[in-house]
């Protein structure tokens, strides 16, 4: 039975899972959820995720939500196929993957997501961008990227000289961020830029990036 993924390719969290599934070469069915008409707030979807958020993954009688939990599950269940995203045969490297997954979640994501929301998502919803929010988070993001620049001057990827979930999780928001006027925060840091160009050129991302179109279908 193929996995079922409920979500939309334009969604950053859905894209995070899609990238993982493609890296593992796993068969799955993408079930669109009509966010614009509130399908995610209706009882059928709420029975899958009571918080009314995408994505949701169904694997037989198992239902999971929260994108990072889903990617961890997929990477572990299919650890013998596709790209080894968790370094399951090396406890030390696996531990470093977990460290940088947390860094992405707690530091990178918390800074970059408000910028993307204010500049891209909010206006689609009819909201005026709050430049003060953008500026404050640009400063935070710059500090995070300074740490990344230092780390990536030593290793090719964040957890080491191997691609992992720690890198994959950065793709969705960075992709959108690079369309904003502040892409220089990435481009002006040579090791971060090289890392981004590397991970964004992977075949798994090329399979989904064309569908990452915020606002279309509204």
């Amino acid at each position: 039975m193929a996995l079922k993924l409920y979500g939309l390719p334009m969604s950053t969290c859905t894209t995070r899972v899609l990238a993982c599934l493609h890296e593992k070469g796993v068969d799955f069915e993408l079930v669109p959820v009509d966010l614009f008409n509130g399908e995610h707030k209706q009882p059928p979807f709420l029975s899958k995720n009571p918080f009314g958020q995408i994505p949701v993954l169904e694997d037989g009688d198992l239902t999971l939500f929260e994108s990072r939990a889903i990617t961890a599950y997929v990477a572990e269940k299919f650890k013998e196929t596709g790209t080894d995203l968790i370094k399951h045969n090396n406890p030390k490297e696996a531990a470093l993957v977990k460290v940088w997954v947390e860094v992405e979640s707690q530091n990178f994501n918390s800074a970059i997501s408000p910028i993307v929301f204010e500049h891209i998502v909010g206006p689609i919803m009819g909201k005026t961008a709050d430049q003060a929010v953008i500026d404050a988070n640009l400063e935070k993001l710059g500090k995070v990227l300074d740490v990344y620049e230092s780390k990536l001057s030593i290793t090719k990827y964040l957890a080491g000289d191997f691609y992992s979930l720690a890198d994959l999780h950065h793709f969705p928001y960075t992709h959108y961020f690079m369309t904003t006027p502040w892409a220089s925060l990435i481009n002006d840091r040579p090791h971060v830029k090289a890392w981004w160009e590397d991970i964004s050129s992977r075949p798994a991302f090329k399979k989904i990036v064309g569908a990452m179109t915020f606002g279309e279908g509204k």
Side-chain angles (χ1 to χ4, degrees), residues 75-76 79-80 84-95:
E76 177 63 30
K79 60 188 176 185
E80 303 293 346
D84 182 1
L85 297 170
I86 55 175
K87 304 302 288 184
H88 67 279
N89 285 325
N90 189 316
K92 290 184 179 180
E93 291 180 340

Side-chain angles (χ1 to χ4, degrees), residues 65-130:
F65 51 88
E66 297 297 340
S67 63
R68 293 173 186 83
I70 295 172
T71 60
Y73 170 75
V74 170
E76 177 63 30
K77 177 172 181 176
F78 302 100
K79 60 188 176 185
E80 303 293 346
T81 64
T83 307
D84 182 1
L85 297 170
I86 55 175
K87 304 302 288 184
H88 67 279
N89 285 325
N90 189 316
K92 290 184 179 180
E93 291 180 340
L96 290 171
V97 172
K98 292 176 182 178
V99 167
W100 286 94
V101 163
E102 285 296 314
V103 170
E104 182 276 328
S105 174
Q106 301 300 319
N107 296 276
F108 181 86
N109 186 77
S110 63
I112 201 170
S113 58
I115 300 168
V116 171
F117 180 84
E118 291 294 334
H119 184 71
I120 300 176
V121 183
I124 292 171
M125 301 167 63
K127 299 180 179 180
T128 301
D130 188 331

